Amino acid sequence: MNYWLIKSEAEMYSIDDLERDKIISWEEIRNYQARNYMRQMKTGDLLLFYHSMSNPTGVAGIAKVASPIHADQSQFDTASEYFDPKATSDSPIWECVDVQFVEKFAHTVSLESIKADALLDGMLVRARGSRLSVQPVSHAHFEHIVGLGQKKN
DNA sequence: GCCAACGTTGGC
DNA sequence: GCCAACGTTGGC
C-alpha cells in the first residue's frame, strides 16, 4: 500500500464536492511527473486531499484510489480545454485513476502547521515552489497528518 | 493581484 | 541538445 497527496484548487473541486460525488475520474492532469506517479498507484492506495488556492491551504481529508490507471477521456474531447490533438484512443497520452471519498477532516491541516511540524520534515508539499499536483507521501507522514486532521480542538 | 518558481515549447 | 521565451501554479 502506498500513500499520495493530490492537490485541487478548493474553488474548482473541494473535498465537499468529492463527498457529494463519492467517486470521480481524476482527469485533467497535464504534467508528466504527476501522470507517472498516478501510473504507480494501486487500487486501495490512500490519498491526502489537499486544497490549494484556499484559506487556509492544506490537507482537507482522505480519499482512496478506486480504479487502475486508465485513459483520461478529456484528452479526446474537442470541446474541452484539456483536449490533446496528439492523443488517440490507441495511444493515449494522459491517464488517470478514479478517486473515491473516504473522509473529511474535522479541520484542515494547514500548510503553515505542516511546515511548523518537525515530524513532517521532508514532505514534498513543504518544498518552496512545489507545484507538483500528485506527490508520494511516506506512511509515517500520512498517519501523522491524519492524526492532526482528526484531532478535536 | 503579484510574482517567484517551475515546466514546456520551439528556434537554432 | 541547449536555452530563452513563454505559460502556469500557487503561496502570500
Side-chain angles (χ1 to χ4, degrees), chain A residues 3-139:
Chain A
Y3 302 87
W4 313 88
L5 178 148
I6 60 173
K7 292 184 190 173
S8 184
E9 293 189 30
E11 289 189 13
M12 295 291 295
Y13 196 84
S14 71
I15 190 79
D16 296 312
D17 294 317
L18 185 62
E19 183 169 21
R20 179 198 63 218
D21 292 341
K22 305 298 183 206
I23 183 167
I24 60 154
S25 284
W26 202 247
E27 294 186 338
E28 303 179 351
I29 304 295
R30 293 293 180 272
N31 172 285
Y32 287 105
Q33 207 175 345
R35 182 203 65 183
N36 292 341
Y37 280 132
M38 283 197 291
R39 284 179 170 174
Q40 296 174 36
M41 290 180 180
K42 297 277 187 280
T43 300
D45 281 2
L46 290 171
L47 308 163
L48 296 175
F49 194 101
Y50 182 92
H51 284 169
S52 62
M53 309 297 276
S54 73
N55 187 22
T57 63
V59 179
I62 308 172
K64 68 180 177 184
V65 177
S67 80
I69 191 83
H70 58 80
D72 176 334
Q73 296 303 310
S74 66
Q75 70 193 310
F76 308 127
D77 179 1
T78 54
S80 169
E81 65 175 300
Y82 295 94
F83 174 69
D84 189 329
K86 295 190 291 294
T88 66
S89 54
D90 283 341
S91 60
I93 296 171
W94 305 108
E95 297 176 297
C96 61
V97 295
D98 292 353
V99 168
Q100 183 174 357
F101 178 79
V102 174
E103 79 174 64
K104 179 183 178 180
F105 285 159
H107 58 93
T108 295
V109 181
S110 69
L111 179 60
E112 184 183 16
S113 62
I114 290 171
K115 285 181 172 174
D117 193 331
L119 290 176
L120 298 173
D121 282 354
M123 265 194 91
L124 290 176
V125 76
R126 298 198 340 182
R128 178 176 161 79
S130 168
R131 292 170 43 178
L132 192 56
S133 59
V134 177
Q135 314 178 348
V137 174
S138 74
H139 186 198

